[in-house]
Amino acid sequence: MAIALQKTFILLLLIVIGLALRTKFKSKTELNGIKELILSVALPSTVFVALMGVKIDSSLLIYPLITLAFNFFIYLSMPYILTLFKIETDSSIGRTLTMLMPSLAPGLSSFPFIHEFLGKEPLAKAAMADVGNKFFALNFLYFVAMNMYLKNNKTGDVKEEGKLKSLLLSLVKEPINIVMLLAIAFLSFGISFEDLPPIISEIFNRTSSLMTPMVLIYIGLAVQLKEGKIRLASSILLFRAGITILFSVLIITIFQISSPTMVLLAVVVPLSSCSFWPFAHMSAVALKEENNHVPKEKRTFNIEFAVLILAFSLPFSTILVMGILTAGTFFAHTETLIITGLVLITFSFIPKYLTKTARVVKARVEKVEA
């Protein structure tokens, strides 16, 4: 436990460094540059090194299927979740949450910590699991966004074949997918990481070592907890985390997972923050509506609220994942996970209660003053 706490303290200090450097990185362009370096260089290198150390097995195919099942579980649950929090399903905020909540961004919020606490082999399995999530976020949620747009604007004459092709092409061109396919191809021919030329393996090792510090510094630079709908955002994210853990318990039970490492892996990957890809789809729709002069209040998605969710989701998921992994095997038991899931679900209603209480107090004060 002492080693885990020391490691966590070091990781937290890297986030603090990011917070201290915020004044040096003020523009979104600079932040996006760091993010692109992480997703296009450090993360693919780390995943490649991890995958090359795993024996290729057809059983790896189960991981993307399980993640895909999780994506659809959250997506199909959203109408009920929105009703529970008294949000109209067919509203801009309801549609925005339906797009964002089922998606995952493990590259920034869970992969670095899986690598640090669980090791290379679990990271390789997590990377395979993310394939299912990418298919869901890039393709299925694109169709969902277009359907919402057409329904909201009551038009059926929009052709999106070109956009679909570009999205599929971007899936193939994404660096992490390229290195995953490359690693699988090498392993299929019996080529291990040690068989690669020393200069190639050293490049991957050097760039891989950048990932964890760069991700944590980026979190410190990018985190922004804005006012406004922060209570609604925190409530939804807490509820999502709670039912996510219960879903993980179901998977652990069905597949009879007993290894503490695999149990923790099954828990932390679905707890990853919301993905940027649904936001990209929503932004494309917003641009289309802006060009068509659609009034802001009648637009399909609430882009400002989407930004708030993304900004809050990353540090929230990071804290959860780090907390679970730091605790060692404490969360590697289904009883503990069930209690944790139920506690998070219960806590998700507290911000809503505080908002209601604040309104009552404000009304009474105004009445007394009158």
Side-chain angles (χ1 to χ4, degrees):
M1 179 63 74
I3 296 175
L5 288 174
Q6 181 181 350
K7 187 177 291 187
T8 303
F9 184 68
I10 292 170
L11 299 180
L12 288 173
L13 280 178
L14 287 169
I15 296 177
V16 172
I17 290 173
L19 290 169
L21 291 173
R22 287 168 71 99
T23 55
K24 303 289 184 180
F25 297 86
K26 295 182 179 180
S27 72
K28 289 184 178 180
T29 304
E30 292 173 324
L31 287 177
N32 287 337
I34 297 174
K35 181 181 177 181
E36 191 61 37
L37 194 60
I38 293 169
L39 296 178
S40 298
V41 179
L43 178 60
S45 294
T46 305
V47 169
F48 181 80
V49 173
L51 279 175
M52 288 296 287
V54 175
K55 293 182 179 179
I56 194 69
D57 192 334
S58 58
S59 62
L60 289 175
L61 295 175
I62 193 63
Y63 297 109
L65 293 177
I66 291 175
T67 310
L68 199 57
F70 167 77
N71 294 137
F72 278 106
F73 166 71
I74 298 294
Y75 174 75
L76 295 174
S77 300
M78 281 312 299
Y80 306 100
I81 296 172
L82 294 174
T83 301
L84 193 62
F85 286 93
K86 296 182 179 179
I87 301 170
E88 291 185 22
T89 307
D90 201 25
S91 64
S92 61
I93 288 181
R95 290 188 286 264
T96 300
L97 289 171
T98 300
M99 287 287 293
L100 287 174
M101 289 299 108
S103 64
L104 298 172
L108 290 173
S109 54
S110 63
F111 281 3
F113 312 108
I114 292 171
H115 181 248
E116 288 293 325
F117 287 93
L118 301 182
K120 292 181 179 180
E121 187 173 344
L123 175 62
K125 293 175 179 178
M128 285 297 296
D130 190 36
V131 173
N133 169 62
K134 279 189 168 64
F135 175 82
F136 179 86
L138 276 168
N139 298 288
F140 179 76
L141 287 182
Y142 167 72
F143 286 112
V144 171
M146 288 302 108
N147 183 59
M148 288 178 173
Y149 164 69
L150 295 174
K151 183 179 178 182
N152 186 57
N153 291 275
K154 295 181 175 60
T155 177
D157 58 351
V158 181
K159 294 182 179 180
E160 295 293 336
E161 292 85 353
K163 176 66 175 176
L164 178 59
K165 288 180 181 178
S166 66
L167 282 171
L168 292 173
L169 190 61
S170 68
L171 179 62
V172 176
K173 286 184 174 181
E174 196 171 346
I176 189 172
N177 291 334
I178 293 173
V179 299
M180 285 177 65
L181 291 173
L182 192 62
I184 292 171
F186 283 156
L187 292 171
S188 300
F189 287 103
I191 302 172
S192 66
F193 192 71
E194 290 73 20
D195 296 326
L196 297 176
I199 188 170
I200 299 297
S201 58
E202 187 63 17
I203 287 173
F204 277 106
N205 280 325
R206 294 290 181 116
T207 51
S208 172
S209 64
L210 294 172
M211 186 179 74
T212 301
M214 284 192 68
V215 168
L216 294 171
I217 291 172
Y218 172 79
I219 290 171
L221 290 169
V223 59
Q224 291 183 3
L225 304 180
K226 298 179 181 179
E227 296 296 331
K229 294 185 173 63
I230 191 69
R231 288 179 179 175
L232 175 59
S234 60
S235 291
I236 294 293
L237 289 170
L238 278 166
F239 192 88
R240 174 186 184 253
I243 62 172
T244 292
I245 290 176
L246 296 181
F247 176 87
S248 295
V249 171
L250 179 63
I251 293 299
I252 292 165
T253 304
I254 291 174
F255 290 94
Q256 298 182 345
I257 302 172
S258 57
S259 166
T261 298
M262 293 306 298
V263 169
L264 292 173
L265 185 66
V267 173
V268 298
V269 171
L271 283 174
S272 301
S273 61
C274 299
S275 173
F276 175 80
W277 282 110
F279 180 76
H281 302 329
M282 290 188 287
S283 297
V285 169
L287 180 60
K288 191 185 295 290
E289 289 176 330
E290 186 177 344
N291 292 336
N292 292 334
H293 305 291
V294 177
K296 198 170 184 179
E297 63 275 7
K298 292 185 179 181
R299 292 182 184 177
T300 307
F301 303 108
N302 189 319
I303 299 300
E304 289 79 10
F305 185 63
V307 171
L308 176 64
I309 289 289
L310 289 173
F312 192 43
S313 177
L314 181 58
F316 177 78
S317 292
T318 301
I319 291 168
L320 276 179
V321 170
M322 284 182 65
I324 289 171
L325 294 178
T326 300
T329 58
F330 179 78
F331 288 98
H333 307 283
T334 52
E335 297 83 1
T336 306
L337 291 172
I338 290 172
I339 293 171
T340 304
L342 294 176
V343 168
L344 287 170
I345 290 172
T346 303
F347 280 4
S348 70
F349 294 100
I350 292 178
K352 181 181 177 182
Y353 173 78
L354 291 175
T355 302
K356 186 177 181 180
T357 303
R359 287 175 181 172
V360 171
V361 171
K362 184 179 179 181
R364 287 180 179 177
V365 170
E366 289 176 349
K367 187 176 181 181
V368 170
E369 291 178 349

